[in-house]
């Protein structure tokens, strides 16, 4: 999942980028309204977090122009102001949610996840499953045969991708771009190392292996015998 953050306050911007990245999102950070609008209309995002008060273009104007272009990505506004007028104006302009600064990061994360779930037209399942492996997308928890598996945020994202595209061979380049937001570098073994670690947690103790290497092609998660 890819999120655009537009925030001019250096500290808040860095904090948001770091926190959301650690939570498993791919994050682009823009420091002013023009850059933010440019990214919003040239890249593809699942959600945008917009500060209201921004240099060059404020959050409302970004939102207005995003909507004019027919983009329906959910937008969450951040503002230091708590006036009822701002709230109404933001929601009328097509904002999906509104958070007043200062806010707790956990609150922001919960709102983002709610918006992302609401956005998918067909309500997304709360769980992804393959054989006895289950991924709880709400609690961000993995279990196999009912046993809890501790995963890092990246491992969770990687496993989520494999489960969503179950049965499909995923090339390393695709995994690199979707989980790490990086271009595939043939010298890099980041993907292989991450898959090995994931397998150690998900497959090693079980007879039935779910994650397979397809030589020269990539990786696939399969639940058929
Ligand atoms: Ca600001």
């Amino acid at each position: 999942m890819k999120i655009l953050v537009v925030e001019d306050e250096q500290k808040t911007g860095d904090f948001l980028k770091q926190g959301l990245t650690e939570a498993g999102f791919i994050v682009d950070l823009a420091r002013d309204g023009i850059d933010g609008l440019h990214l919003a209309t040239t890249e593809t995002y699942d959600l945008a977090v917009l500060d209201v008060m921004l240099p060059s273009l404020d959050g409302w104007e970004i939102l207005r122009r995003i909507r004019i272009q027919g983009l329906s990505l959910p937008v969450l506004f951040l503002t230091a102001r708590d006036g009822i007028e701002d709230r109404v104006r933001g929601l009328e302009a097509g904002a999906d949610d509104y958070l007043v600064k200062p806010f707790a990061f956990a609150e922001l994360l919960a709102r983002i996840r709610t918006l992302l779930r609401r956005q998918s037209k067909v309500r997304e399942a709360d769980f992804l499953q393959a054989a006895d492996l289950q991924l709880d997308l709400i609690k961000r928890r993995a279990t196999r045969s009912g046993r809890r598996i501790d995963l890092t945020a990246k491992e969770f994202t990687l496993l989520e991708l494999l489960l969503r595209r179950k049965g499909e061979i995923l090339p390393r380049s695709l995994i690199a771009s979707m989980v790490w937001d990086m271009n595939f570098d043939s010298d890099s073994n980041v993907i292989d190392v991450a898959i090995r670690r994931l397998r150690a947690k998900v497959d090693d103790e079980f007879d039935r292996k779910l994650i397979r290497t397809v030589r020269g092609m990539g990786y696939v998660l399969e639940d058929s015998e």
Side-chain angles (χ1 to χ4, degrees):
M1 290 281 190
K2 201 164 172 184
I3 295 183
L4 170 67
V5 175
V6 189
E7 167 62 81
D8 60 314
E9 287 166 35
Q10 178 121 16
K11 262 190 179 169
T12 313
D14 293 345
F15 164 76
L16 287 173
K17 177 160 186 173
Q18 191 188 344
L20 291 172
T21 303
E22 282 170 5
F25 295 103
I26 289 168
V27 183
D28 280 347
L29 172 63
R31 307 258 184 205
D32 71 57
I34 299 272
D35 284 353
L37 179 66
H38 177 73
L39 282 173
T41 51
T42 53
E43 302 278 319
T44 305
Y45 296 99
D46 297 292
L47 182 140
V49 177
L50 303 180
D51 185 27
V52 170
M53 301 301 287
L54 288 167
S56 65
L57 275 185
D58 67 21
W60 286 312
E61 189 55 25
I62 296 176
L63 175 62
R64 198 179 67 80
R65 297 198 196 177
I66 285 177
R67 293 295 185 239
I68 284 174
Q69 300 217 10
L71 297 172
S72 61
L73 81 163
V75 170
L76 189 151
F77 263 133
L78 297 179
T79 181
R81 296 187 290 180
D82 192 16
I84 181 83
E85 270 173 42
D86 287 351
R87 221 175 264 259
V88 170
R89 186 172 168 193
L91 295 173
E92 273 178 352
D96 299 280
D97 204 355
Y98 200 99
L99 204 54
V100 176
K101 293 178 182 175
F103 53 84
F105 186 74
E107 167 87 41
L108 175 72
L109 205 52
R111 302 266 193 115
I112 285 176
R113 291 197 169 128
T114 303
L115 286 176
L116 288 172
R117 277 201 303 280
R118 200 198 292 163
Q119 176 212 21
S120 39
K121 296 234 163 52
V122 183
R123 189 173 144 56
E124 230 184 80
D126 295 341
F127 294 93
L128 292 173
Q129 190 147 9
D132 54 352
L133 171 69
Q134 197 178 55
L135 209 58
D136 183 330
L137 298 173
I138 310 293
K139 294 183 181 153
R140 313 286 294 173
R141 222 152 51 184
T143 54
R144 187 151 183 199
S145 287
R147 234 192 297 162
R148 173 82 181 269
I149 302 169
D150 283 314
L151 298 175
T152 64
K154 277 286 178 233
E155 286 166 352
F156 191 96
T157 306
L158 177 57
L159 186 56
E160 183 180 345
L161 174 67
L162 288 164
L163 275 164
R164 282 189 191 282
R165 318 267 297 249
K166 193 164 66 176
E168 195 180 321
I169 298 165
L170 303 178
R172 285 176 181 77
S173 55
L174 180 112
I175 296 175
S177 69
M178 295 195 69
V179 180
W180 279 268
D181 195 25
M182 62 179 197
N183 292 321
F184 182 53
D185 167 3
S186 53
D187 293 333
S188 161
N189 64 348
V190 174
I191 313 290
D192 306 282
V193 171
I195 291 275
R196 203 180 311 138
R197 291 212 178 110
L198 186 62
R199 269 180 170 155
K201 294 181 177 183
V202 170
D203 274 343
D204 277 9
E205 290 174 39
F206 298 87
D207 290 338
R208 190 168 168 185
K209 311 299 180 197
L210 298 173
I211 301 169
R212 277 203 310 123
T213 307
V214 184
R215 208 169 293 279
M217 294 182 75
Y219 296 100
V220 60
L221 187 147
E222 275 178 332
D223 61 359
S224 49
E225 297 286 350

